[in-house]
Amino acid sequence: MKKNKAKAVTIHDLAEELKVSASTVSRALNEQEGIGKKTRKAVKKLAKEWGYRPNRMASSLRTNTSRTIGILVPWINRPFISSLISGIENAARGSGYQVIIAQSHDSSDQEKENIQTLYDTRISALIISLAMETTDYSHFELIQENDIPVVFVDRIPNLGNCIKVQINNFKAAFDATAHLIAQGCTRIAHFGGSSNQIIYQDRRLGYLSALKNAGLDIDERLNLQAQHLSAEEGTRLSEQIFSLENPPDGIFCANDTSAISAIKYAQEKNIRIPEDLAIIGFNDDPICTVISPQLSSITHPASSMGMEAVNQVISLLNGKSQAHDSAVSLSLETNLVIRASSDRRR
Amino acid sequence: MKKNKAKAVTIHDLAEELKVSASTVSRALNEQEGIGKKTRKAVKKLAKEWGYRPNRMASSLRTNTSRTIGILVPWINRPFISSLISGIENAARGSGYQVIIAQSHDSSDQEKENIQTLYDTRISALIISLAMETTDYSHFELIQENDIPVVFVDRIPNLGNCIKVQINNFKAAFDATAHLIAQGCTRIAHFGGSSNQIIYQDRRLGYLSALKNAGLDIDERLNLQAQHLSAEEGTRLSEQIFSLENPPDGIFCANDTSAISAIKYAQEKNIRIPEDLAIIGFNDDPICTVISPQLSSITHPASSMGMEAVNQVISLLNGKSQAHDSAVSLSLETNLVIRASSDRRR
DNA sequence: GTATTTTGCACAATCGATTGCATAAACGAC
DNA sequence: GTCGTTTATGCAATCGATTGTGCAAAATAC
């Protein structure tokens, strides 16, 4: 007899109907040893018939884990991050995990607080991209002490013994800069991000290395940095380099937002792109193909990074490796996408 | 004495230390009646000292609710939606709620499945923007039968007895179209979305109403529809209207993506914007200020919608109204943002 | 002073699933 | 047929917080 719709079916209901104990039902459903074939079959059949759905709360309480992956990112509403989350959500749900989201708003304090709350939720694992501010990682101890797997994505910490999913920022930046050089640029500026974050350090190093490699002079007045690489900061940096007596003929920007600002600034000043100034960004946000001239950029495999992060999480949770002593560093492929903003060949 | 770090503090630990019962501790911490002032104070003090954090799982199991709000959206990685989610996350976390995310990918089946899973998680409430496909709402019964508050956002169902947070699509569309008319357009096309969704029906009605109101002819060959209003569909519709012997001099697009396609198409064909063709989009996505000419649009208060949805949820949960018999329909303000793509005055 | 009400708290059950241990049944070996 | 082993299952405790009921002490009334 079908149970009352309003009241959820429990293992006890199934047990009662089948004249077995709740523990038997539990073991049967969880594919555990020591259950007769017939019993197992009967339990599964009835569970399906009655639409049994396990109570996650009860299970979580008992096992002290929730089959929930916590995601902690600086901002949800950014193209790269929302795609990252989308990738995580797909992969996680495909493996039977829920996904809980929190934003740090690039503040270490909020990051800390959110980690506490996520911990309270007994998340099975944490996937995190660091707040811009964060340089101290002590707030992760709570998570790690409790053997909750942590996977760092994109904005990773300066630590060895942890799991990271990232791109090769150095190489991507090197390639981007080398591309500008190949287009004939000789004075190339860099709009970089906060040196708190390794990704921006690496992009800067890649930039510098490409310059050195080509035998170009390094002018520190062109090697710039902004806290958030916002549109406003992009404009400010543009003003700054074009007030120099000897302005650059190329810019490698560590994100697309600031690159767009540079394009707009140049257009206002009637600086021709790419003839007088070649520009390349980073991330390959949708805006790249909307701005005119279209913006060259580096593709950032956001969704794949999310999926890979989940893969790491799952293999940790399946006990293939110990959470606290493993150090994986995964590097995903980027691609240089050449568009009109830097293409002088035509 | 501080407890062992690895083991979490429970109300029983506190109770033992204070020589009271666990129930007293629980009531003291939850601001319930029937506890002496001194006891209450002592409990709170020790809880703070020992860093007590309630076990959400236990609480959820007992109370059959999780202080978690489920969000179900078609896609996470879209500007409007990621901002909506961001708004929800902020408001929810501010009120002590977690936020769990799921994507329907615009498929009714996935929507259905996700609702089941979210239900299994015993979400306290659901905030949802419908999948494009969805016209049948029977999968919400499970949620509503169990008195879980549901708030529909943006893509709302065609039902009276539910809670909706939306914008006045009719008015916004009317205003957008009227603006084009004021600019001198007399043959105005409409790129609309699937008639499955009320928001697109309303935008179309607003468009038609503005035309009628101005005494303009309605040409059904200009009144178009696309399933997803993607960039490709935008291009296709543009081709379509410009293959007419009498092409339009204005387009009102129900989203920015298709409007951008129209701009690009026009530019390829050397159609001047806004002189020969004035264009206005909808949503005010970031791309609007990046494309050249900048795209006029309707601001969609994404983040505020998220916050309002959470407000509705909270007031329902606080029992100010019954979940199943209340029908709130909140309309947030939109704004017409006039930019170069439609501004003929200069 | 006793009688009555109020206050403050403890006890124990409960939410639903999981799991170590105990035991009964089935099976095989001789 | 007896004994030993394996297999299948039940029992009961447990996870941590919540809550209805009951009782003793304190407060109030008379």
Side-chain angles (χ1 to χ4, degrees):
Chain A
M1 216 183 310
K2 189 84 183 288
K3 285 277 154 181
N4 182 339
K5 240 185 173 181
K7 191 67 187 164
V9 180
T10 73
I11 49 171
H12 298 282
D13 299 329
L14 300 177
E16 193 183 351
E17 174 81 6
L18 294 170
K19 312 249 182 276
V20 297
S21 74
S23 39
T24 300
V25 175
S26 171
R27 281 189 262 255
L29 292 172
N30 290 310
E31 296 293 348
Q32 293 195 20
E33 293 300 305
I35 291 294
K37 267 190 175 176
K38 274 192 308 187
T39 315
R40 186 184 302 272
K41 211 170 211 169
V43 169
K44 287 191 171 178
K45 181 159 169 286
L46 188 67
K48 192 162 191 178
E49 262 179 45
W50 281 14
Y52 167 74
R53 310 225 100 206
N55 184 320
R56 275 167 167 264
M57 297 307 155
S59 168
S60 297
L61 174 60
R62 183 63 228 257
T63 61
N64 205 33
T65 178
S66 61
R67 284 191 84 78
T68 296
I69 297 177
I71 306 183
L72 181 44
V73 291
W75 308 91
I76 293 172
N77 54 339
R78 290 200 180 165
F80 167 67
I81 301 209
S82 62
S83 294
L84 176 74
I85 296 176
S86 179
I88 294 174
E89 197 272 343
N90 284 337
R93 202 162 289 277
S95 305
Y97 285 83
Q98 299 268 43
V99 153
I100 237 171
I101 289 205
Q103 307 185 71
S104 66
H105 296 120
D106 270 329
S107 137
S108 274
D109 288 344
Q110 282 194 50
E111 191 167 274
K112 208 165 180 170
E113 212 177 301
N114 280 323
I115 282 185
Q116 257 294 353
T117 314
L118 290 172
Y119 171 72
D120 292 345
T121 322
R122 304 301 190 267
I123 49 171
S124 304
L126 175 66
I127 298 178
I128 178 169
S129 184
L130 293 174
M132 194 69 97
E133 279 185 355
T134 301
T135 50
D136 166 52
Y137 312 122
S138 56
H139 46 302
F140 293 105
E141 283 169 14
L142 173 70
I143 301 281
Q144 294 183 314
E145 270 168 13
N146 286 281
D147 278 331
I148 298 173
V150 180
V151 175
F152 294 93
V153 175
D154 194 47
R155 298 231 204 117
I156 59 175
N158 197 355
L159 295 174
N161 57 338
C162 60
I163 300 184
K164 310 165 191 167
V165 175
Q166 54 182 330
I167 54 171
N168 189 333
N169 285 288
F170 179 90
K171 177 175 176 302
F174 184 98
D175 291 350
T177 311
H179 159 66
L180 293 181
I181 296 169
Q183 300 295 311
C185 299
T186 56
R187 271 180 69 71
I188 300 176
H190 175 52
F191 290 1
S194 165
S195 55
N196 284 351
Q197 292 298 330
I198 298 193
I199 57 167
Y200 295 119
Q201 287 176 23
D202 285 353
R203 289 177 198 177
R204 189 178 307 283
L205 292 174
Y207 154 76
L208 292 172
S209 172
L211 294 187
K212 270 184 209 145
N213 192 58
L216 293 178
D217 290 338
I218 289 171
D219 184 341
E220 280 303 333
R221 289 169 305 175
L222 297 181
N223 182 7
L224 301 175
Q225 177 175 340
Q227 192 56 37
H228 296 287
L229 284 172
S230 63
E232 295 71 32
E233 288 174 327
T235 306
R236 188 168 53 71
L237 295 185
S238 301
E239 282 166 2
Q240 200 170 320
I241 51 174
F242 278 101
S243 66
L244 293 175
E245 79 283 2
N246 187 8
D249 56 0
I251 315 179
F252 161 51
C253 303
N255 75 1
D256 291 327
T257 310
S258 61
I260 297 283
S261 292
I263 292 183
K264 287 186 179 173
Y265 179 87
Q267 287 174 334
E268 260 177 40
K269 301 293 175 188
N270 290 317
I271 298 163
R272 291 175 307 163
I273 299 173
E275 295 83 353
D276 304 334
L277 180 68
I279 301 183
I280 184 165
F282 207 107
N283 283 354
D284 202 24
D285 284 349
I287 36 172
C288 289
T289 58
V290 167
I291 185 96
S292 169
Q294 294 197 1
L295 176 62
S296 299
S297 196
I298 301 284
T299 56
H300 212 152
S303 185
S304 313
M305 287 178 85
M307 289 171 50
E308 272 306 330
V310 173
N311 286 345
Q312 291 298 318
V313 162
I314 305 261
S315 75
L316 277 172
L317 289 174
N318 290 347
K320 289 184 189 150
S321 41
Q322 288 293 318
H324 43 280
D325 65 5
S326 54
V328 180
S329 183
L330 226 82
S331 245
L332 299 197
E333 280 296 308
T334 58
N335 264 300
L336 179 63
V337 184
I338 300 171
R339 300 201 180 90
S341 73
S342 71
D343 190 356
R344 290 176 171 173
R345 288 168 308 182
R346 24 182 156 173
Chain B
M1 213 182 314
K2 189 87 182 286
K3 285 277 152 182
N4 184 342
K5 240 185 173 181
K7 192 67 186 166
V9 181
T10 72
I11 50 171
H12 298 283
D13 300 329
L14 299 178
E16 195 182 349
E17 174 81 5
L18 293 171
K19 312 249 182 276
V20 296
S21 75
S23 41
T24 300
V25 174
S26 171
R27 282 190 256 254
L29 292 172
N30 290 311
E31 297 293 347
Q32 294 195 18
E33 294 300 304
I35 293 295
K37 265 190 175 178
K38 275 192 309 187
T39 315
R40 187 184 299 272
K41 210 170 211 171
V43 169
K44 287 190 172 177
K45 182 158 169 285
L46 188 68
K48 193 163 190 180
E49 261 178 45
W50 282 12
Y52 167 74
R53 311 225 101 208
N55 185 319
R56 275 167 167 265
M57 298 308 156
S59 167
S60 297
L61 174 58
R62 183 62 228 259
T63 60
N64 204 34
T65 179
S66 61
R67 285 191 83 77
T68 295
I69 297 176
I71 306 184
L72 181 43
V73 292
W75 309 92
I76 295 172
N77 54 340
R78 291 198 180 166
F80 167 67
I81 300 208
S82 61
S83 294
L84 176 74
I85 296 176
S86 179
I88 294 175
E89 198 273 340
N90 285 337
R93 202 162 289 280
S95 305
Y97 285 82
Q98 300 268 44
V99 154
I100 234 172
I101 289 204
Q103 306 184 73
S104 67
H105 297 120
D106 269 330
S107 137
S108 275
D109 287 344
Q110 283 194 49
E111 192 168 272
K112 209 164 179 170
E113 212 178 301
N114 281 322
I115 283 185
Q116 256 294 353
T117 315
L118 290 172
Y119 171 71
D120 291 346
T121 319
R122 305 298 192 267
I123 49 170
S124 305
L126 175 65
I127 297 178
I128 179 169
S129 184
L130 293 174
M132 194 69 96
E133 279 186 356
T134 301
T135 49
D136 166 53
Y137 313 122
S138 56
H139 46 304
F140 293 106
E141 282 169 15
L142 174 69
I143 300 281
Q144 294 183 315
E145 270 169 13
N146 286 281
D147 277 331
I148 298 172
V150 180
V151 175
F152 293 93
V153 176
D154 194 47
R155 297 230 205 118
I156 58 175
N158 198 356
L159 295 174
N161 57 339
C162 61
I163 300 185
K164 311 164 187 166
V165 175
Q166 54 182 329
I167 54 172
N168 189 332
N169 284 288
F170 179 90
K171 177 176 176 301
F174 184 98
D175 291 349
T177 311
H179 158 68
L180 293 180
I181 297 170
Q183 298 297 310
C185 300
T186 55
R187 271 181 67 74
I188 300 175
H190 175 52
F191 290 2
S194 165
S195 55
N196 284 350
Q197 292 298 329
I198 298 192
I199 57 167
Y200 295 118
Q201 289 177 21
D202 284 352
R203 290 178 198 176
R204 188 178 308 283
L205 292 175
Y207 153 77
L208 293 172
S209 171
L211 295 186
K212 270 183 213 150
N213 193 58
L216 293 176
D217 290 338
I218 289 171
D219 184 342
E220 280 303 333
R221 290 169 305 174
L222 297 181
N223 182 8
L224 302 174
Q225 178 174 340
Q227 192 56 36
H228 296 287
L229 283 174
S230 64
E232 295 71 32
E233 289 174 325
T235 306
R236 187 168 54 70
L237 295 185
S238 301
E239 282 166 2
Q240 200 171 321
I241 51 174
F242 279 101
S243 66
L244 293 176
E245 81 282 3
N246 187 7
D249 56 1
I251 315 179
F252 161 51
C253 302
N255 75 2
D256 290 327
T257 308
S258 61
I260 297 282
S261 292
I263 291 183
K264 287 186 178 172
Y265 179 86
Q267 287 174 336
E268 262 177 37
K269 302 292 175 190
N270 289 317
I271 298 164
R272 291 174 308 162
I273 299 174
E275 294 83 353
D276 303 334
L277 180 68
I279 301 183
I280 184 165
F282 207 108
N283 282 354
D284 201 24
D285 284 349
I287 37 172
C288 289
T289 59
V290 166
I291 185 94
S292 170
Q294 294 197 1
L295 176 62
S296 299
S297 196
I298 301 285
T299 55
H300 212 152
S303 186
S304 312
M305 287 178 86
M307 289 170 50
E308 272 307 330
V310 173
N311 286 346
Q312 291 299 318
V313 162
I314 305 261
S315 75
L316 277 173
L317 289 174
N318 291 348
K320 290 186 189 148
S321 41
Q322 288 292 318
H324 43 277
D325 65 4
S326 54
V328 179
S329 184
L330 225 81
S331 244
L332 299 198
E333 279 297 306
T334 57
N335 264 300
L336 180 63
V337 184
I338 300 170
R339 300 201 180 89
S341 73
S342 71
D343 190 355
R344 291 176 171 173
R345 288 167 307 178
R346 21 180 160 177

